[in-house]
Amino acid sequence: MASDKPADIRVREEGRQIIVVPQGDWVISNVTPVYRDIERIESSYDAGLVVIDVSGIGRIDTAGAFLLGRTIHQCSSPTADWHFRGEHPTAKRLIIELIERAIDCEPDAPEERYGFVRAFERVGAGLEAFYREAVDTFGFFGRTITTFASLLVRPHRFRWTPAFYVMEEAGVNALPIIAVLTFFIGAVVAFMGANLLETFGASVFTVELVGISVLREFGVLITAIMLAGRSDSAFTASIGSMKMQQEIDAMRVLGLDPYEALVIPRVVACVIMAPLLTFGAMMAGIFGGMMVSWATLDISPGFFISRMNDAITPSHFWVGMSKAPVFGLIIAIIGCKQGMQVGGDVESLGRRVTASVVQSIFMVIVVDAIFAMMYLELDI
């Protein structure tokens, strides 16, 4: 086999045309020395005036054809016949094919839209994303329910150790911060109620204000929001890190169901611990309201408890407690689902953790509003 002839390129002007004359073998092993010449031609001459004389080319491959095509690629009609001169069995066809392939791969520049059109586009994209997220979440919820039903048939497969661990981490360890928050919420409600009701000579009704608001709403709502911010992000981060390190794929290879091992223990732990945390939050909130009433209204703790017992029915307590397991289920489902959707990079993990917390808090407030309307219609 004959040795390659070194690639070379010359440029001359004929009137307004720029004649590019490549010579030698334009194959991948030869074209490196002429790369800078190609760059100089691109920057110095108008691509619409360049004509390639292919008659002096020996052998040519895609690397050489790509470099020669760069000299005319930027003009409006790079594949026109007048860009080529001379005869060669393959050069012209190969250059044109590469140019056409490059044009097909280049995405069209997005059309700039402003004003109402752009606003409606963003609203539509947001609604579509919301719809897909809702469908995915309901699908994940359905898969979780079917997995839990299968565990009821085969209870020996339930993993109690991780469930108890999550109960401690998400439940017991969260009790102090939840109790402190609801204590101050109860104190603030009592203080505002005392200032307002005292002007009407009805400061004693501060007891009812604190009791009903804490038992029906604030206790369970603060608990759910704290679980969403503290525990839900932990669920997403822990499952997401396993997804990034392909540990979940390894579990499937070993024949383990990730829903049984990762999702169900967290769901069960949240559903069990949410009512217990809510009860602690209720007690802390009432205690905070009682302390403020004692300090500002001279309502003794004994009178406060006695009036609560006489004026507030147990239905208010059960209204708040009935919401707790539902909120716990929502929080666990969203946290685990977002963790399962983490991709292979840290950026995806951060987005999913943020989405987990935001969606959980949003859904807790929406479902709480639904509960409020339902209990209002039922006169409970």
Side-chain angles (χ1 to χ4, degrees):
M1 181 176 178
S3 60
D4 294 338
K5 297 180 181 179
D8 189 19
I9 190 167
R10 299 176 183 176
V11 180
R12 69 173 186 269
E13 297 185 11
E14 290 185 2
R16 295 191 59 211
Q17 290 184 328
I18 308 299
I19 310 300
V20 175
V21 185
Q23 295 179 336
D25 293 330
W26 282 68
V27 293
I28 190 170
S29 58
N30 284 1
V31 294
T32 302
V34 297
Y35 183 79
R36 293 188 179 277
D37 295 327
I38 295 294
E39 288 186 328
R40 180 178 55 80
I41 294 172
E42 278 189 282
S43 60
S44 302
Y45 301 106
D46 183 0
L49 303 178
V50 172
V51 177
I52 302 175
D53 187 347
V54 298
S55 58
I57 299 176
R59 294 186 300 123
I60 187 171
D61 61 8
T62 54
F66 171 77
L67 283 180
L68 289 174
R70 286 181 52 174
T71 60
I72 58 175
H73 179 258
Q74 299 299 326
C75 71
S76 59
S77 55
T79 59
D81 288 337
W82 57 266
H83 277 297
F84 300 92
R85 175 186 295 182
E87 297 294 333
H88 190 276
T90 59
K92 178 180 176 182
R93 176 179 56 82
L94 191 58
I95 294 171
I96 291 176
E97 286 181 358
L98 290 177
I99 292 175
E100 290 177 343
R101 192 178 305 171
I103 293 174
D104 292 338
C105 292
E106 291 181 356
D108 295 333
E111 182 181 354
E112 292 292 337
R113 292 187 174 92
Y114 303 96
F116 287 108
V117 175
R118 179 60 177 164
F120 281 122
E121 281 185 353
R122 297 189 63 180
V123 170
L127 290 175
E128 182 182 6
F130 175 80
Y131 170 76
R132 292 185 176 181
E133 191 72 24
V135 171
D136 291 343
T137 302
F138 278 112
F140 186 89
F141 176 69
R143 174 69 184 276
T144 304
I145 293 298
T146 56
T147 304
F148 183 74
S150 68
L151 289 177
L152 292 179
V153 178
R154 298 172 294 175
H156 63 279
R157 294 179 61 91
F158 185 78
R159 300 173 181 273
W160 290 103
T161 300
F164 284 125
Y165 173 78
V166 175
M167 287 181 190
E168 180 182 1
E169 287 294 317
V172 177
N173 294 346
L175 182 59
I177 183 64
I178 291 175
V180 170
L181 282 177
T182 50
F183 174 87
F184 285 109
I185 291 293
V188 169
V189 171
F191 185 77
M192 294 179 63
N195 286 338
L196 179 62
L197 295 174
E198 195 172 16
T199 60
F200 302 102
S203 57
V204 71
F205 289 104
T206 303
V207 177
E208 284 89 333
L209 177 63
V210 172
I212 294 175
S213 62
V214 170
L215 292 178
R216 290 183 70 100
E217 293 295 337
F218 288 126
V220 66
L221 199 56
I222 294 299
T223 300
I225 291 174
M226 284 304 302
L227 279 177
R230 182 184 180 276
S231 303
D232 214 35
S233 58
F235 292 169
T236 304
S238 61
I239 296 176
S241 63
M242 295 179 67
K243 186 79 179 297
M244 290 173 56
Q245 297 171 13
Q246 299 182 340
E247 294 179 28
I248 294 179
D249 296 332
M251 292 174 64
R252 291 192 175 99
V253 171
L254 293 174
L256 301 175
D257 187 354
Y259 283 79
E260 287 186 8
L262 302 176
V263 178
I264 297 298
R266 287 171 168 81
V267 171
V268 171
C270 273
V271 171
I272 293 175
M273 292 307 298
L276 301 179
L277 291 174
T278 299
F279 179 79
M282 290 176 178
M283 296 302 103
I286 290 173
F287 182 73
M290 183 173 63
M291 291 295 100
V292 171
S293 300
W294 191 13
T296 60
L297 300 176
D298 200 24
I299 297 176
S300 66
F303 179 76
F304 189 96
I305 295 173
S306 176
R307 184 168 180 84
M308 275 196 63
N309 187 45
D310 294 337
I312 300 177
T313 61
S315 63
H316 298 297
F317 170 79
W318 292 114
V319 164
M321 292 297 291
S322 66
K323 302 175 185 178
V326 178
F327 290 165
L329 177 64
I330 292 172
I331 290 167
I333 290 293
I334 292 177
C336 295
K337 180 252 183 185
Q338 293 293 337
M340 287 290 191
Q341 291 187 332
V342 170
D345 56 344
V346 178
E347 184 180 359
S348 173
L349 178 63
R351 288 198 307 268
R352 291 298 176 181
V353 170
T354 303
S356 173
V357 175
V358 172
Q359 289 182 16
S360 298
I361 295 176
F362 174 79
M363 287 305 302
V364 162
I365 295 175
V366 170
V367 174
D368 183 67
I370 294 173
F371 269 114
M373 292 186 290
M374 182 179 68
Y375 287 134
L376 180 63
E377 291 296 325
L378 295 175
D379 196 21
I380 298 177

